[in-house]
Amino acid sequence: MQKRIVVCFVALLFFVSCNPTGNTVNLTDPVEAGREFIDASLKGNYAKAKKYVLADSINMEYFNRYESFNKNLSSNEKDGYKNANIIIDSIQNISDSVTIINYSNTFKRSPGKVKLLKIDKEWLVDFKFTFLGNSDYGNK
């Protein structure tokens, strides 16, 4: 009987250690990284979403404002976003290091866009592009 308890305990530890929270990030593929960023943002998982953002001062400022704004949404709006599905409208592979994803979601069907940059073999969201586009800060 004690042996079974030990085996069950070890099995439980194994399953718990397999990251059931889904906080792993995939930065090796631009579409997957973009989709995961959008999904984490919709679900209100800003800690996860932030892992996908290119960490420069402007991006972090925009992301922190975005997070603050969304935390003040009504509970109905938060639930709507959490339950929404992502609709990828188009993917533009600008170069081998730049991809733009145009998307919307099933809660608010307004179009959005994210730009991903490949930096040191990782695809990261250039969040300022979402608000400024290329014209206001150059073609990074």
Side-chain angles (χ1 to χ4, degrees):
M1 180 69 168
Q2 258 184 336
K3 204 176 211 180
R4 265 192 220 170
I5 293 172
V6 170
V7 169
C8 288
F9 182 73
V10 170
L12 178 64
L13 283 177
F14 173 77
F15 288 116
V16 169
S17 67
C18 289
N19 194 18
T21 59
N23 282 329
T24 59
V25 294
N26 178 357
L27 299 173
T28 60
D29 178 78
V31 176
E32 189 63 24
R35 192 193 66 71
E36 286 293 321
F37 169 78
I38 295 164
D39 188 60
S41 297
L42 288 173
K43 305 247 182 296
N45 187 346
Y46 301 109
K48 182 177 180 181
K50 197 174 213 174
K51 293 176 183 178
Y52 289 95
V53 177
L54 176 64
D56 69 24
S57 60
I58 297 172
N59 274 330
M60 291 298 103
E61 184 177 335
Y62 274 110
F63 185 81
N64 291 335
R65 286 183 185 179
Y66 173 76
E67 180 180 1
S68 294
F69 175 81
N70 285 341
K71 284 185 176 180
N72 290 321
L73 294 174
S74 71
S75 59
N76 286 341
E77 287 178 302
K78 288 178 186 177
D79 288 342
Y81 283 118
K82 281 183 184 179
N83 296 318
N85 294 315
I86 301 166
I87 302 166
I88 302 290
D89 297 318
S90 67
I91 298 168
Q92 298 171 293
N93 295 312
I94 306 300
S95 70
D96 62 346
S97 61
V98 178
T99 297
I100 296 174
I101 299 173
N102 294 287
Y103 70 95
S104 58
N105 67 69
T106 56
F107 176 60
K108 300 260 179 155
R109 294 191 180 262
S110 58
K113 58 187 175 183
V114 292
K115 180 179 185 178
L116 290 108
L117 302 175
K118 188 175 186 180
I119 299 175
D120 296 329
K121 299 180 183 178
E122 293 184 333
W123 288 92
L124 298 166
V125 173
D126 187 10
F127 200 55
K128 61 188 164 279
F129 173 81
T130 301
F131 299 99
L132 301 176
N134 278 339
S135 63
D136 291 316
Y137 71 95
N139 275 335
K140 288 189 174 182

